Amino acid sequence: MHSKRLIPVLLLLLLVFLAVGCGAGRRGVVKASPEGIYHRANQEYQNGRYTQAIEYFQKLTDEYPLSELAVLAKIGIGDSHFSKKEYPEAARVYNEFIFLHPNNEYLPYAMYQLGLCHYNQLQEIDRDQTETLKAKIQFESLITRFPESKFSFLAQKHLRESNKRLAEREFYVGLYYFDKKNYQAAVNRFERIKRDYPNVGLDHKVDYYLEQTRKHLATRETKGAGPSKGAD
């Protein structure tokens, strides 16, 4: 008789215990700390899981926007895109960081990485050189603002290569005009190289073609044909 009454009581106590336990579990969930999220994001990055790293870095910036680690997380997002060779996406993040944190200690690094985003998208000399020009501008800005930074020293080499690529583009176009006997347009290009891109390895070739082009112009003027039509 007593045992039959005991079973419902035990069931009731069990249900109460489970309800209390579940409630405590829900209330006892501890929100991950900024340090914990950043550590997880960094682990994912170090293991080459860049997409997952971006998710955790983003989680940190969303949940703890005022944390100092949230600033580092923005760099982490940029670096993760960069490591995935998603250079336009990385450039967007670095640009945002530079705009929002103009006095941050990581600013030279962000500027250098932004320059590399453009540098890594360089095209052949017969193609558009917009990215080359952007890389040049970014590296020059870094070197001017932070001349003693180690990233400025690293940028020097990339700046030289960017200038060389732009000079080669000008030379390529200059030769095209030279072959077409549009000597004024050719001389404009060769003179631009001497003015804007000296000491990048093209000086001797430029001097030779500049001399030849000027001779052709002088001959044409002597014969009374007048100077050839110029072009930019």
Side-chain angles (χ1 to χ4, degrees), residues 119 122 129 132 135-136 139 155-168 200:
Y119 184 83
L122 299 190
Q129 295 300 308
T132 313
K136 168 186 168 66
F139 290 135
Q156 291 282 358
K157 177 183 177 182
H158 299 304
L159 176 58
R160 177 179 171 81
E161 290 300 317
S162 298
N163 282 330
K164 183 177 180 181
R165 181 66 60 88
L166 291 169
E168 289 173 339
V200 295

Side-chain angles (χ1 to χ4, degrees), residues 10-22:
L10 290 176
L11 288 174
L12 179 62
L13 289 175
L14 179 60
L15 291 173
V16 171
F17 174 77
L18 290 174
V20 172
C22 290

